[in-house]
Amino acid sequence: NGLFWREEQPRAAAPETPETQPFCPEKQAEYLWPGAGKVTAKVFPANFEEKIQVVHKKDLKNRADYARITTLYTSLVLRSRLPGDRFRPAGRGVSKELRKWMNEAGIPPRERDTLPLLAAGKQVLWICGEGFADGLAPGPDTERLLQVKLENWEESNHDHA
């Protein structure tokens, strides 16, 4: 049609994994997380695991009372942050806007939109690197634990540093 050159706009590649994924650790234990590795979730009996393995301090913040979570919240999703999200840091007793909390916690701006979160609506229950929200920690009456962690987190952080 008389054109010497026609530049085609590249099509945006569809993301391998959606930014929001339904979270059901009893049916799915691994969730691929774009650019950061995979989020693993495991539900297990509280007393069984603790007698067999030594629990490292860093793992404690990534464990929660699974019955309490499923009683208090429905429709759990693994996702990135959204406007209006709120987080209640463990031991603080107050809910904060996630945006403000991330600023106070010193999370680099480039990581804020890609950090995996476990949420129920606008309520954030778990943040990668921070752990579970206040009130979800296992107690003496906990029967089943939920453990969530991001594998390959350190390696992906070194790539961006």
Side-chain angles (χ1 to χ4, degrees):
N1 296 336
L3 294 175
F4 285 115
W5 177 266
R6 180 178 173 192
E7 193 169 325
E8 300 245 346
Q9 294 292 345
R11 290 185 185 173
E16 292 179 22
T17 309
E19 287 187 24
T20 299
Q21 301 177 44
F23 183 80
C24 185
E26 292 156 323
K27 293 181 182 175
Q28 183 177 351
E30 294 181 352
Y31 303 83
L32 293 179
W33 198 256
K38 66 182 172 183
V39 175
T40 59
K42 183 167 62 169
V43 177
F44 52 87
N47 56 2
F48 176 77
E49 179 72 13
E50 290 174 359
K51 287 179 183 173
I52 292 177
Q53 271 187 335
V54 175
V55 178
H56 297 286
K57 257 188 176 175
K58 66 177 184 166
D59 291 334
L60 288 175
K61 67 181 182 180
N62 289 322
R63 292 185 178 188
D65 186 326
Y66 188 59
R68 190 173 305 148
I69 290 173
T70 55
T71 302
L72 295 173
Y73 305 99
T74 57
S75 302
L76 299 173
V77 293
L78 193 62
R79 62 171 172 79
S80 301
R81 73 176 179 160
L82 293 172
D85 280 346
R86 298 193 67 81
F87 181 60
R88 184 182 201 131
R92 300 267 298 272
V94 242
S95 178
K96 281 193 160 261
E97 284 184 37
L98 185 61
R99 176 182 59 84
K100 287 183 180 180
W101 177 84
M102 285 183 160
N103 191 37
E104 289 175 8
I107 296 174
R110 70 176 187 272
E111 293 177 13
R112 294 177 189 178
D113 288 330
T114 59
L115 207 57
L117 311 171
L118 178 62
K122 294 289 183 186
Q123 190 62 46
V124 175
L125 308 179
W126 174 81
I127 299 177
C128 179
E130 175 60 24
F132 281 94
D134 194 47
L136 300 177
D141 60 338
T142 299
E143 293 180 13
R144 294 190 320 155
L145 288 172
L146 169 63
Q147 178 174 302
V148 183
K149 63 182 178 179
L150 179 62
E151 294 184 6
N152 302 328
W153 178 246
E154 286 79 17
E155 294 155 25
S156 67
N157 266 349
H158 292 301
D159 292 345
H160 300 298

